[in-house]
Amino acid sequence: MEGGSGYNSVPSSTSSDKSRVLDVKPLRSLKPVFSNTPQGSPFVCAPPNGPFPPGFTPFYPFSVQQGSQSSPDLNHQSPSSMQTPVGHMPAPLRSFRSSQPPEFQGAFNGDAGNDDGYSGGKKRAGPHLRGPNSYQKKKNKSALSVVASKGAGASFVVDISPLLRDDGNREVYNLVLMRFDAIRRRLSQIEDAKERSTGIRRADLKAGNILMSKGIRTNMRRRIGALPGLEIGDIFFFRLEMCVVGLHAQSMGGIDYMVLKDDMEEEPVALSIVSSEGYDDDAEDGNVLIYSGQGGNFGKKDKQASDQKLERGNLALERSFRRGNDIRVVRGIKDSVNPSSKIYVYDGLYKIQESWTESKSGCNIFKYKFVRLPGQPGAFSVWKSIQKWKEGFSSRAGLILPDLTSGAENTPVALVNDVDEEKGPAYFTYFPTLKYSKSFNLAQPSFGCNCRNACQPGDPNCSCVTKNGGDFPYTTNGILVSRKPLIYECGPTCPCFPNCKNRVSQMPLKIHLEVFKTTDRGWGLRSWDPIRAGTFICEYAGEVIDKAKVKPGGEDGENDEFVFDTTRVYDSFKWNYEPGLLDEERSNDSDENYEIPSPLIISAKNVGNVARFMNHSCSPNVFWQPVLYEHNNQSFLHIAFFAIRHVPPMTELTFDYGVVRTNEAEGNITLNRKKKCLCGSSNCRGYFV
DNA sequence: GTTATCTCACTAAT
DNA sequence: CATTAGTGAGATAA
């Protein structure tokens, strides 16, 4: 995420002016049904008398304890909203600013004057104000030299200047990590397709190697303290990711240090540590960490345990302690999605407050007490808070509903407001998938595969794999490898097992999301879980509508409300691997300059899922991808959202809303309404409509 | 060149 | 089948 981690996305100022959130006429009104039980009432997003769409659960009771005690430290909670009994939500329909007529919207957002957030208002769909020229300027301003040569090979050469290799910024940081993961995903894909691959598959090591050797890295200049481009709360899924951005240069070692040369003396000082809970590090308090020294052969087989020596990392920690130096701390946390691996969280700067030795099975080990510097945004502490929320909703301050889907999704989606008094978005029917009112057939009829079990990557006999160009679109753990014009998934009529890995976007909601009130952009969407780059988040659910029925100008101001439209103009961006960086690979199948194969317009105004709450950003962390699969012998197009990069918990999820094309013949973009974009990113286009 | 290291993915065991 | 323990090839910087 560009403009800062999500933890501090709630400004301390009281900038939210409630008088501006106007009451709006109810949408054709899905009146809520409330029971009178004091315990809590279900929030039913459906017409009370039906008909209920198939798969829709009209009533899903749950119980919530009222009130809450401990408020997590990451947000500035509003005590009053916190105490509001969950079950007694008033019925009034408050809606988003975006529900205003266009003229009003423009005026409103124009004087908002707040620049610290994402797009204005709720999801209102519309283009950003920017002509082709302004876009060019932005591109050229980039500190990176990205040379894209469109030719036979379509090779992208990404070069990072020596200056940026030494000292990074957020842009380079994101680019390096994106390149790392793109290569790693592709290497995994290649390995997956190999039959009986012997040996250990370490795509992370290979990817790291490539980046290191090509100089695609940043913050190589080793330094004590904060790193430019790095934000507290940033997460990593591999140790090598921390190497390539200069956070922690050791690929395995827990202590990174450098030697300072003072006059005549040389002295090692610590730069960063990784606490992986491998030793008996004490992580009781989120602000204190007891860290063990290195060496001594503890826990290793075939090695005799011995005393740890005051050398290397241990000496560096000791010296840093004496000097009172800051040390970067990374916390390794077990990944609940993939318990065999870890997620690394950058938890900011600590100082060593104390050091001593302890005896373990007769041998001495060093211990260091790390204390977190005050005034830093929460990172590890956020993870701990979320853990509590999952154990019991009562600890979540500002909670309005534990599950706004009323059980329509497998995973509950909390509705939270800890910034003002608004009790929820305008009513709509929650429905987890896309609804086609009439058959929507692509030109070519498609047939499913004939696989008996699960479709195998690299299987030439699987027609679904073949349709994807021979590559399996996802890695074995369900991560999307590359963006493509279209991804073909196995559908309900494919005979392969339901657990076939080629059904990623049809899986029920796995990520624990919450809909929350932003300070200046209406309601937004964020996640309690860390999200790895390439992870499927959700599809854009809603009703497929005819293009002919959509008025281009949106006369009544409601037509393009909550509309997703593939025919808009979207910025191209690079997410896939670069063929030039992979020795064996020279194909152009990672090219991302393609046309969307088929137009699709979805309205989520009356019916929709969590995707309708995602706001716009000019530097989004989520992108959409067309996916095709068949049911009832017909192919249907869907829009699936995937994470562009790793997204830390509680960071708002955003995607690029695109620009409405009003004059297709000349490619000019005519703007009829302006809204100031509040995405706050460095390459913000300024406005969107 | 050699060494130490709070890895990571696979396999086997429960 | 979910979790765990064992194990080995490896990358980086000292």
Side-chain angles (χ1 to χ4, degrees):
Chain A
M1 177 123 310
E2 198 70 16
S5 84
Y7 309 145
N8 39 16
S9 65
V10 180
S12 49
S13 75
T14 55
S15 62
S16 172
D17 181 350
K18 269 163 253 122
S19 67
R20 285 173 167 165
V21 181
L22 300 184
D23 286 323
V24 162
K25 66 179 183 242
L27 298 177
R28 58 198 73 134
S29 224
L30 315 170
K31 245 194 166 176
V33 178
F34 290 122
S35 76
N36 289 323
T37 57
Q39 254 304 42
S41 309
F43 179 84
V44 179
C45 301
N49 11 346
F52 300 108
F56 175 74
T57 314
F59 191 83
Y60 192 81
F62 50 80
S63 66
V64 183
Q65 289 172 13
Q66 294 182 16
S68 32
Q69 326 89 326
S70 63
S71 65
D73 59 357
L74 59 154
N75 286 323
H76 307 271
Q77 266 84 26
S78 154
S80 51
S81 68
M82 196 171 111
Q83 288 157 6
T84 305
V86 169
H88 296 267
M89 187 168 64
L93 299 186
R94 283 241 158 121
S95 191
F96 324 112
R97 299 161 188 159
S98 53
S99 297
Q100 307 314 318
E103 311 77 43
F104 186 83
Q105 271 185 31
F108 172 78
N109 286 288
D111 72 359
N114 196 334
D115 217 349
D116 63 345
Y118 294 81
S119 75
K122 187 63 297 314
K123 163 110 190 166
R124 56 35 321 128
H128 320 286
L129 173 62
R130 72 156 175 67
N133 289 338
S134 69
Y135 179 63
Q136 282 300 335
K137 268 185 218 153
K138 286 283 185 189
K139 271 278 169 181
N140 295 341
K141 235 174 60 183
S142 167
L144 301 167
S145 72
V146 178
V147 184
S149 60
K150 271 295 280 171
S155 67
F156 281 71
V157 181
V158 178
D159 190 29
I160 293 174
S161 73
L163 218 69
L164 289 170
R165 259 178 230 159
D166 278 349
D167 303 278
N169 58 42
R170 194 60 176 174
E171 194 182 356
V172 197
Y173 171 90
N174 279 330
L175 183 128
V176 169
L177 286 181
M178 247 157 77
R179 288 292 152 271
F180 174 91
D181 206 57
I183 295 169
R184 191 200 58 78
R185 291 191 308 266
R186 175 58 177 161
L187 291 170
S188 295
Q189 184 183 47
I190 293 168
E191 283 299 321
D192 286 349
K194 281 184 187 162
E195 239 175 276
R196 285 250 136 255
S197 63
T198 50
I200 294 165
R201 299 155 37 169
R202 291 294 300 267
D204 59 316
L205 297 184
K206 280 188 201 166
N209 223 335
I210 291 171
L211 261 58
M212 292 286 203
S213 64
K214 306 274 183 186
I216 304 177
R217 53 188 299 187
T218 188
N219 286 322
M220 284 180 75
R221 193 169 67 77
R222 299 161 71 69
R223 82 203 74 192
I224 297 168
L227 292 184
L230 183 73
E231 289 173 8
I232 293 171
D234 281 341
I235 59 173
F236 306 87
F237 287 76
F238 298 94
R239 290 285 298 257
L240 279 176
E241 289 181 318
M242 297 190 280
C243 294
V244 293
V245 297
L247 168 55
H248 188 84
Q250 304 295 325
S251 62
M252 292 176 85
I255 306 167
D256 194 15
Y257 62 97
M258 68 185 288
V259 176
L260 283 187
K261 285 166 185 159
D262 270 17
D263 296 335
M264 314 262 255
E265 276 195 13
E266 291 194 352
E267 189 169 60
V269 288
L271 302 177
S272 54
I273 59 156
V274 176
S275 167
S276 291
E277 293 163 337
Y279 290 48
D280 39 9
D281 299 343
D282 188 353
E284 263 308 299
D285 185 336
N287 291 320
V288 176
L289 172 67
I290 309 298
Y291 194 77
S292 305
Q294 61 184 193
N297 296 325
F298 293 98
K300 286 186 189 161
K301 70 163 196 129
D302 298 342
K303 293 243 181 166
Q304 186 62 40
S306 58
D307 283 344
Q308 289 185 342
K309 296 184 186 114
L310 193 59
E311 57 181 25
R312 296 168 166 275
N314 298 341
L315 182 60
L317 289 178
E318 185 64 27
R319 292 287 186 261
S320 288
F321 167 46
R322 299 289 167 207
R323 286 168 168 259
N325 282 349
D326 297 344
I327 299 169
R328 298 187 294 267
V329 168
V330 176
R331 306 257 195 171
I333 301 170
K334 196 168 82 169
D335 182 1
S336 56
V337 176
N338 186 5
S340 68
S341 62
K342 287 194 187 91
I343 300 174
Y344 299 97
V345 183
Y346 174 50
D347 199 32
L349 301 178
Y350 283 62
K351 269 184 177 25
I352 300 176
Q353 196 183 64
E354 227 179 305
S355 87
W356 65 95
T357 59
E358 281 180 11
S359 185
K360 185 183 179 182
S361 52
C363 299
N364 281 335
I365 51 173
F366 293 101
K367 290 276 185 175
Y368 303 89
K369 183 181 182 185
F370 282 72
V371 178
R372 196 164 191 257
L373 300 194
Q376 303 182 95
F380 182 59
S381 61
V382 174
W383 288 64
K384 299 188 88 171
S385 299
I386 292 168
Q387 208 168 2
K388 281 195 195 120
W389 302 344
K390 286 187 173 176
E391 287 162 9
F393 280 110
S394 58
S395 62
R396 177 63 169 126
L399 184 81
I400 297 168
L401 284 171
D403 182 15
L404 94 173
T405 79
S406 304
E409 301 278 11
N410 280 21
T411 313
V413 178
L415 178 64
V416 177
N417 184 351
D418 50 21
V419 300
D420 61 29
E421 304 304 314
E422 197 178 339
K423 284 302 164 203
Y427 296 107
F428 68 102
T429 302
Y430 196 98
F431 191 71
T433 57
L434 194 55
K435 293 169 76 127
Y436 279 89
S437 47
K438 59 168 194 174
S439 69
F440 178 90
N441 243 330
L442 278 194
Q444 73 279 23
S446 89
F447 304 99
C449 58
N450 291 313
C451 301
R452 287 181 186 164
N453 297 325
C455 297
Q456 290 303 318
D459 182 358
N461 298 319
C462 173
S463 64
C464 292
V465 169
T466 312
K467 275 184 281 188
N468 284 306
D471 282 327
F472 210 74
Y474 307 105
T475 61
T476 43
N477 49 3
I479 301 277
L480 181 70
V481 176
S482 297
R483 299 169 60 214
K484 287 183 170 194
L486 193 52
I487 281 174
Y488 298 85
E489 289 194 355
C490 293
T493 41
C494 286
C496 54
F497 280 8
N499 64 348
C500 166
K501 301 291 185 194
N502 195 26
R503 286 193 174 95
V504 169
S505 80
Q506 299 163 63
M507 292 295 139
L509 188 62
K510 282 203 184 78
I511 299 166
H512 202 132
L513 300 168
E514 78 171 21
V515 171
F516 73 108
K517 184 72 189 292
T518 66
T519 50
D520 54 359
R521 285 154 290 119
W523 297 87
L525 187 68
R526 64 188 175 193
S527 169
W528 288 9
D529 297 327
I531 305 175
R532 187 168 168 173
T535 303
F536 168 69
I537 297 168
C538 63
E539 81 165 307
Y540 199 99
E543 296 166 302
V544 174
I545 52 180
D546 264 334
K547 187 170 188 181
K549 288 182 187 166
V550 185
K551 293 169 207 154
E555 280 170 31
D556 56 2
E558 283 190 344
N559 263 346
D560 57 2
E561 189 93 10
F562 296 101
V563 164
F564 181 91
D565 183 353
T566 60
T567 66
R568 284 182 198 156
V569 180
Y570 294 91
D571 272 358
S572 67
F573 69 99
K574 191 87 182 89
W575 191 73
N576 296 352
Y577 65 95
E578 296 138 70
L581 291 178
L582 295 165
D583 299 336
E584 62 265 42
E585 201 88 20
R586 288 268 167 204
S587 68
N588 63 354
D589 61 352
S590 74
D591 187 19
E592 292 169 77
N593 287 309
Y594 46 73
E595 292 293 319
I596 302 305
S598 182
L600 178 64
I601 303 174
I602 305 166
S603 170
K605 192 175 118 188
N606 301 322
V607 176
N609 68 347
V610 286
R612 73 199 288 281
F613 293 106
M614 249 191 288
N615 282 316
H616 163 85
S617 172
C618 300
S619 296
N621 49 20
V622 173
F623 67 84
W624 57 273
Q625 163 71 54
V627 176
L628 191 79
Y629 51 90
E630 66 167 43
H631 28 105
N632 302 326
N633 292 318
Q634 284 185 322
S635 294
F636 292 100
L637 192 61
H638 295 256
I639 298 300
F641 287 100
F642 294 89
I644 291 178
R645 47 179 169 263
H646 305 329
V647 183
M650 302 304 283
T651 302
E652 182 168 9
L653 302 176
T654 54
F655 72 100
D656 181 357
Y657 279 9
V659 179
V660 169
R661 195 194 305 257
T662 53
N663 188 342
E664 300 196 24
E666 300 181 35
N668 289 334
I669 289 143
T670 317
L671 295 157
N672 40 19
R673 284 173 291 154
K674 297 178 192 173
K675 285 189 74 180
K676 187 171 187 187
C677 182
L678 302 173
C679 86
S681 66
S682 58
N683 58 337
C684 177
R685 298 157 204 151
Y687 292 87
F688 69 110
V689 175

